[in-house]
Amino acid sequence: QQKVQQSPESLIVPEGGMASLNCTSSDRNVDYFWWYRQHSGKSPKMLMSIFSNGEKEEGRFTVHLNKASLHTSLHIRDSQPSDSALYLCAARGNSNNRIFFGDGTQLVVKP
Amino acid sequence: EAAVTQSPRNKVAVTGGKVTLSCNQTNNHNNMYWYRQDTGHGLRLIHYSYGAGSTEKGDIPDGYKASRPSQENFSLILELATPSQTSVYFCASGAWGEPNERLFFGHGTKLSVL
């Protein structure tokens, strides 16, 4: 069973629109979350990280974390066709440095 | 940007054969990881390592062995390859406790077992 669950599985948004992606860890022993972006045929690249409760913004990207519920979300405003990719959420075990990933959300931004 | 190099980039193997996937990092990171990714899915952890000489089982270790002979090198070994091991394999390294900590990935190895 996946320890990190992501939703939705796929998402289509119009160019200029807002994309919202969700991720929850079912393992309570985690201390760090990342969002990675993977374009087709490429390796994952880190987009944003968060380990404190609250919100973090970098350009068009905003990430939220609720540590009590182990839920994180990624919001992309003014979405561009180049944002079309697989978005992977990752969490780190706080006692063993294991990094486990969800199955991802496939985002398509339509011009 | 931290460098992680995997070899080979592509590999075709026969069922029952031995396959070794190699990974080298020049980042001086203690932690290294092997993942597999099946089409349209996320990454599943096979083995990981805390440093030279250590290997730990991940979530799907069956059918795989790992070897970490040095800080820089981490290999994944399939002693008896099966078609179900056809996948894309990613190696990654990471150092925790540093600013902006994250995993750095290699380009991946596409393995086909016939």
Side-chain angles (χ1 to χ4, degrees):
Chain A
Q1 183 183 358
Q2 284 288 98
K3 294 179 182 177
V4 173
Q5 289 84 39
Q6 292 188 242
S7 64
E9 286 186 15
S10 61
L11 182 62
I12 301 173
V13 300
E15 183 174 357
M18 170 76 85
S20 294
L21 291 68
N22 296 292
C23 170
T24 302
S25 171
S26 59
D27 185 334
R28 294 215 62 83
N29 298 311
V30 297
D31 64 356
Y32 216 103
F33 287 87
W34 292 267
W35 285 93
Y36 283 78
R37 181 164 72 180
Q38 185 181 25
H39 287 106
S40 182
K42 303 292 186 183
S43 59
K45 294 283 193 296
M46 200 271 287
L47 199 57
M48 293 191 71
S49 62
I50 191 162
F51 60 90
S52 299
N53 260 332
E55 176 182 301
K56 187 174 168 183
E57 182 178 332
E58 291 179 4
R60 297 184 294 112
F61 301 90
T62 302
V63 63
H64 293 266
L65 175 62
N66 181 324
K67 293 190 81 171
S69 60
L70 294 176
H71 175 83
T72 178
S73 58
L74 175 69
H75 306 273
I76 307 172
R77 62 177 172 80
D78 189 24
S79 297
Q80 302 298 308
S82 58
D83 293 327
S84 297
L86 181 67
Y87 288 77
L88 296 163
C89 175
R92 183 176 71 191
N94 58 18
S95 63
N96 56 21
N97 285 343
R98 278 186 174 216
I99 314 294
F100 34 93
F101 286 78
D103 270 343
T105 293
Q106 187 70 52
L107 174 66
V108 174
V109 180
K110 291 220 174 232
Chain B
E1 176 82 359
V4 179
T5 305
Q6 291 183 234
S7 61
R9 293 290 292 267
N10 291 281
K11 173 75 178 176
V12 178
V14 295
T15 297
K18 182 176 180 177
V19 177
T20 300
L21 306 183
S22 299
C23 179
N24 175 274
Q25 55 107 354
T26 57
N27 314 314
N28 198 33
H29 289 161
N30 289 331
N31 301 283
M32 294 187 76
Y33 303 79
W34 276 107
Y35 293 91
R36 65 176 280 175
Q37 184 176 37
D38 299 305
T39 304
H41 290 282
L43 303 170
R44 290 186 289 169
L45 181 63
I46 307 170
H47 284 288
Y48 62 108
S49 168
Y50 295 120
S54 92
T55 61
E56 303 289 334
K57 292 181 180 179
D59 297 321
I60 53 163
D62 293 346
Y64 302 94
K65 284 172 54 178
S67 173
R68 182 89 182 269
S70 65
Q71 179 82 336
E72 297 78 21
N73 295 296
F74 190 36
S75 298
L76 186 68
I77 302 140
L78 291 67
E79 295 278 4
L80 294 169
T82 68
S84 64
Q85 293 175 314
T86 293
S87 189
V88 178
Y89 291 84
F90 286 101
C91 175
S93 73
W96 313 126
E98 297 181 357
N100 209 16
E101 51 192 359
R102 67 180 84 175
L103 284 178
F104 294 89
F105 285 88
H107 284 104
T109 294
K110 186 174 182 181
L111 174 65
S112 298
V113 183
L114 307 177

